[in-house]
Amino acid sequence: MKITQAEFVISAVKPHQYPEDALPEIALAGRSNVGKSSLINKMIQRKNLARASQQPGKTQQLNYYRINDMVYFVDFPGYGYAKVSKTQRAAFGQMIETYLQNREPLKRLLLIIDIRHAPSKDDQMMYHWLKHYEIPVCIVVTKADKIPRSKWAKHVKMAKETLEADPSDPVVMFSSETGIGRDELWEVILASIESPAEASEPAEPLSELSAE
Ligand code: GTP
Ligand code: MG
């Protein structure tokens, strides 16, 4: 995927701040520090466009990045940060649920998990929300460079079992260090944002319509 344009657009707190140009959106969710921003940077081949939050757990915004005038990446705040208050946790849950329930341009959510750790309770809850709202998911298992390739399959199996993952959900191994998985993830994204018109069969020729 050749990146010709990539820009940060807005940190949205309320739905009225979400962009209104109806470009498809790909959201990213995962634990704080799992590697969401690094993954975005790798995907768009920029060192530092998506930044790690200065105060982990404090940010409650959705960060919008516009790529190639074709798609938005929507970086969710990381969850599971220990020092977050109950009120902040509730606000986070509300914001995410509002987005997931109502966001028509959302085409797929990338659930980012760390290959070294079993998915947390928060990961499981996020996954179940996505299934509940019937939002397409791609499970991205990142930091693959952190363990030997011979152990990948075992860790991925464990992650899928913990999430009770639907076998039809795509799973991509990824590393922001080595770039492994980048092409595969772009393929998943492009397939997800294809407009139905392009994806469907060509319309029947007019001559075959019966005249009534
Ligand atoms: P929050 O925004 O705080 O939720 O974090 P995040 O999920 O955006 O994580 P971020 O991309 O800031 O990465 C957290 C740390 O993990 C950084 O020190 C990254 O350099 C490191 N990291 C991210 N991805 C990888 C990876 O694929 N491999 C390795 N070895 N390190 C990674
Ligand atoms: Mg981040």
Side-chain angles (χ1 to χ4, degrees):
M1 182 70 185
K2 191 168 184 301
I3 305 299
T4 51
Q5 180 259 355
E7 62 178 338
F8 168 74
V9 177
I10 191 170
S11 285
V13 183
K14 296 268 184 230
H16 73 262
Q17 297 172 307
Y18 301 162
E20 285 177 350
D21 51 13
L23 281 186
E25 297 179 7
I26 298 289
L28 296 95
R31 300 179 72 170
S32 188
N33 221 35
V34 72
K36 297 178 295 300
S37 303
S38 306
L39 181 144
I40 292 178
N41 288 328
K42 195 69 194 177
M43 291 300 282
I44 61 179
Q45 291 165 322
R46 297 284 192 281
K47 276 232 152 61
N48 241 335
L49 187 68
R51 285 203 201 123
S53 45
Q54 281 133 348
Q55 295 176 296
K58 290 265 158 93
T59 33
Q60 297 293 339
Q61 309 102 332
L62 302 179
N63 289 322
Y64 272 86
Y65 300 89
R66 188 182 166 109
I67 317 299
N68 283 6
D69 292 323
M70 176 184 80
V71 61
Y72 285 110
F73 284 164
V74 186
D75 195 6
F76 281 17
Y79 47 70
Y81 187 66
K83 287 182 186 159
V84 169
S85 70
K86 260 193 176 161
T87 323
Q88 283 171 323
R89 212 173 283 268
F92 171 87
Q94 276 237 311
M95 184 182 69
I96 299 302
E97 255 194 302
T98 303
Y99 176 86
L100 295 179
Q101 271 173 336
N102 306 313
R103 192 60 182 160
E104 203 271 330
L106 175 63
K107 299 302 175 212
R108 191 173 289 273
L109 186 138
L110 313 180
L111 182 63
I112 319 292
I113 60 174
D114 185 325
I115 192 157
R116 297 168 298 174
H117 309 297
S120 66
K121 285 269 177 284
D122 289 320
D123 293 324
Q124 294 170 41
M125 189 173 78
M126 176 62 75
Y127 186 78
H128 289 122
W129 266 354
L130 297 168
K131 290 289 144 187
H132 177 75
Y133 294 121
E134 298 181 349
I135 292 159
V137 188
C138 175
I139 299 167
V140 181
V141 186
T142 195
K143 302 197 182 179
D145 59 285
K146 292 275 195 184
I147 67 165
R149 196 176 273 257
S150 58
K151 292 191 179 163
W152 286 1
K154 184 173 146 234
H155 284 245
V156 168
K157 183 165 176 274
M158 193 179 64
K160 285 163 87 172
E161 280 170 7
T162 308
L163 288 174
E164 297 172 356
D166 185 333
S168 64
D169 285 343
V171 179
V172 174
M173 297 291 305
F174 197 90
S175 167
S176 301
E177 281 289 311
T178 68
I180 198 158
R182 181 180 180 272
D183 292 345
E184 195 185 342
L185 190 53
W186 266 119
E187 274 175 31
V188 171
I189 291 170
L190 291 177
S192 311
I193 65 177
E194 239 176 34
S195 69
E198 288 165 32
S200 65
E201 296 287 304
E204 283 188 15
L206 275 177
S207 57
E208 286 180 20
L209 295 177
S210 58
E212 281 186 43

mmCIF file of all heavy atoms in Angstrom, residues 202-210:
data_model
loop_
_atom_site.group_PDB
_atom_site.id
_atom_site.type_symbol
_atom_site.label_atom_id
_atom_site.label_comp_id
_atom_site.label_asym_id
_atom_site.label_seq_id
_atom_site.Cartn_x
_atom_site.Cartn_y
_atom_site.Cartn_z
ATOM 1 N N PRO A 202 -22.031 -7.310 -11.265
ATOM 2 C CA PRO A 202 -22.491 -6.231 -12.135
ATOM 3 C C PRO A 202 -24.011 -6.298 -12.316
ATOM 4 O O PRO A 202 -24.588 -7.383 -12.294
ATOM 5 C CB PRO A 202 -21.788 -6.518 -13.467
ATOM 6 C CG PRO A 202 -20.958 -7.731 -13.279
ATOM 7 C CD PRO A 202 -21.103 -8.237 -11.890
ATOM 8 N N ALA A 203 -24.606 -5.137 -12.464
ATOM 9 C CA ALA A 203 -26.059 -5.109 -12.618
ATOM 10 C C ALA A 203 -26.457 -5.813 -13.921
ATOM 11 O O ALA A 203 -25.683 -5.851 -14.866
ATOM 12 C CB ALA A 203 -26.535 -3.660 -12.655
ATOM 13 N N GLU A 204 -27.663 -6.349 -13.914
ATOM 14 C CA GLU A 204 -28.131 -7.017 -15.136
ATOM 15 C C GLU A 204 -28.281 -6.005 -16.255
ATOM 16 O O GLU A 204 -28.718 -4.882 -16.030
ATOM 17 C CB GLU A 204 -29.502 -7.653 -14.860
ATOM 18 C CG GLU A 204 -29.373 -8.921 -14.075
ATOM 19 C CD GLU A 204 -30.710 -9.644 -13.974
ATOM 20 O OE1 GLU A 204 -31.625 -9.304 -14.724
ATOM 21 O OE2 GLU A 204 -30.793 -10.525 -13.115
ATOM 22 N N PRO A 205 -27.941 -6.413 -17.482
ATOM 23 C CA PRO A 205 -28.128 -5.471 -18.580
ATOM 24 C C PRO A 205 -29.600 -5.109 -18.721
ATOM 25 O O PRO A 205 -30.473 -5.938 -18.464
ATOM 26 C CB PRO A 205 -27.638 -6.242 -19.814
ATOM 27 C CG PRO A 205 -27.252 -7.601 -19.368
ATOM 28 C CD PRO A 205 -27.375 -7.692 -17.892
ATOM 29 N N LEU A 206 -29.840 -3.878 -19.133
ATOM 30 C CA LEU A 206 -31.214 -3.383 -19.229
ATOM 31 C C LEU A 206 -32.069 -4.255 -20.141
ATOM 32 O O LEU A 206 -33.241 -4.479 -19.885
ATOM 33 C CB LEU A 206 -31.204 -1.955 -19.794
ATOM 34 C CG LEU A 206 -30.992 -0.855 -18.765
ATOM 35 C CD1 LEU A 206 -30.927 0.493 -19.458
ATOM 36 C CD2 LEU A 206 -32.085 -0.882 -17.714
ATOM 37 N N SER A 207 -31.429 -4.784 -21.186
ATOM 38 C CA SER A 207 -32.182 -5.571 -22.170
ATOM 39 C C SER A 207 -32.840 -6.804 -21.546
ATOM 40 O O SER A 207 -33.798 -7.341 -22.079
ATOM 41 C CB SER A 207 -31.261 -6.009 -23.301
ATOM 42 O OG SER A 207 -30.190 -6.744 -22.744
ATOM 43 N N GLU A 208 -32.282 -7.241 -20.394
ATOM 44 C CA GLU A 208 -32.842 -8.452 -19.783
ATOM 45 C C GLU A 208 -34.004 -8.159 -18.833
ATOM 46 O O GLU A 208 -34.608 -9.065 -18.278
ATOM 47 C CB GLU A 208 -31.744 -9.225 -19.045
ATOM 48 C CG GLU A 208 -30.825 -9.924 -20.024
ATOM 49 C CD GLU A 208 -29.728 -10.713 -19.364
ATOM 50 O OE1 GLU A 208 -29.872 -11.049 -18.171
ATOM 51 O OE2 GLU A 208 -28.727 -10.981 -20.056
ATOM 52 N N LEU A 209 -34.269 -6.876 -18.613
ATOM 53 C CA LEU A 209 -35.405 -6.556 -17.745
ATOM 54 C C LEU A 209 -36.691 -6.706 -18.539
ATOM 55 O O LEU A 209 -36.782 -6.317 -19.696
ATOM 56 C CB LEU A 209 -35.287 -5.112 -17.234
ATOM 57 C CG LEU A 209 -34.102 -4.828 -16.319
ATOM 58 C CD1 LEU A 209 -34.077 -3.351 -15.961
ATOM 59 C CD2 LEU A 209 -34.199 -5.666 -15.057
ATOM 60 N N SER A 210 -37.667 -7.283 -17.885
ATOM 61 C CA SER A 210 -38.926 -7.443 -18.608
ATOM 62 C C SER A 210 -39.667 -6.100 -18.637
ATOM 63 O O SER A 210 -39.687 -5.379 -17.639
ATOM 64 C CB SER A 210 -39.794 -8.490 -17.930
ATOM 65 O OG SER A 210 -40.026 -8.106 -16.597
#
